[in-house]
Amino acid sequence: IVVVMAQSWLEQKDVQNKVSRSCIFGCMYSYTACADPMSGRSAAFAAWRRLPSSHAAMIVIAFALIGMIYGRTHTRDIRELGGLMKIMPFLSVGYVIAGLANLGLPGFSGFIAEMTIFNGSFENADTFHRCCTVIAITSIVVTAVYILRTVGFILFEKVKNPHFEELTDATWDERFAVCCLIFCVAGLGSFPIWASHVISDAVVPILSVIPTL
């Protein structure tokens, strides 16, 4: 299911829809690690401690940047956007960083979360679950394709609307907000164990009752 849904998102034309559907993707990754109730408990603990915080940080920065771009261009259609890198360099670089974090580039929170998910789901000893895990891992390639395609279309193609040439880049408060969000995404990726300890007190009691359900 993960692979099929990833392929179906390649044809999405609304940049916000692409990001919103990656929220569903993150939930499905958690189910991939925790689908088997007999799997190692480390899979469930790792998935539910790291993925939600990681995905939340990535989604917030992506939606924030899309909102800032939409506030200037008044469109979210990928076919109408283009050449924004030379018009809004700061927002464009921020969007590239958000995209790289979302596709799981090492050094960002997405890499830690996805690797934890796949390592945990591979703890299942039977061949069936391991084969399903390998198939699910192929969705990383599809995710990278649609994210990089989107970045290329809206940032690096020629300017399709002459009005965009008159647009301005981020204001100082927008720059401050984006930098704080990037710091959070990079921090979760650089110090994952510390982040896991911070939220363990809230997650462990929930996971402890799952075997009794």
Side-chain angles (χ1 to χ4, degrees):
I1 295 175
V2 172
V3 177
V4 172
M5 291 188 68
Q7 292 174 337
S8 68
W9 296 338
L10 285 172
E11 301 305 319
Q12 279 288 335
K13 302 304 180 184
D14 189 316
V15 64
Q16 182 170 287
N17 284 346
K18 282 183 177 287
V19 174
S20 62
R21 279 158 175 73
S22 68
C23 298
I24 305 173
F25 223 24
C27 294
M28 295 183 70
Y29 275 147
S30 292
Y31 298 148
T32 299
C34 307
D36 184 4
M38 300 304 294
S39 65
R41 299 312 307 156
S42 61
F45 273 82
W48 288 359
R49 282 190 301 178
R50 294 176 182 172
L51 183 70
S53 57
S54 167
H55 207 68
M58 293 187 296
I59 292 302
V60 167
I61 186 174
F63 275 125
L65 289 164
I66 291 172
M68 295 174 191
I69 294 174
Y70 176 78
R72 292 164 169 79
T73 62
H74 304 293
T75 181
R76 297 193 304 264
D77 194 325
I78 296 174
R79 295 166 295 187
E80 299 176 6
L81 296 170
L84 298 184
M85 179 61 78
K86 66 177 183 179
I87 301 172
M88 315 172 191
F90 183 87
L91 293 179
S92 298
V93 170
Y95 189 81
V96 170
I97 294 174
L100 294 177
N102 204 3
L103 63 82
L105 186 73
F108 294 103
S109 58
F111 174 77
I112 299 298
E114 290 181 5
M115 285 299 298
T116 303
I117 294 278
F118 293 132
N119 287 336
S121 60
F122 206 76
E123 288 180 358
N124 292 284
D126 60 293
T127 304
F128 173 76
H129 284 91
R130 291 193 171 186
C131 288
C132 290
T133 301
V134 172
I135 294 173
I137 290 174
T138 62
S139 64
I140 295 177
V141 178
V142 183
T143 303
V145 170
Y146 83 73
I147 289 177
L148 294 177
R149 282 182 59 186
T150 302
V151 169
F153 284 144
I154 69 177
L155 301 183
F156 296 106
E157 287 195 349
K158 65 178 182 179
V159 179
K160 300 174 182 177
N161 188 336
H163 171 67
F164 292 170
E165 298 281 2
E166 304 172 2
L167 301 178
T168 59
D169 201 2
T171 58
W172 70 268
D173 53 331
E174 292 173 332
R175 292 171 186 261
F176 177 77
V178 171
C179 288
C180 289
L181 292 172
I182 292 175
F183 176 79
C184 292
V185 172
L188 289 172
S190 302
F191 307 98
I193 297 178
W194 174 82
S196 296
H197 290 331
V198 170
I199 61 178
S200 289
D201 292 341
V203 176
V204 170
I206 298 175
L207 293 177
S208 64
V209 302
I210 290 180
T212 64
L213 298 178

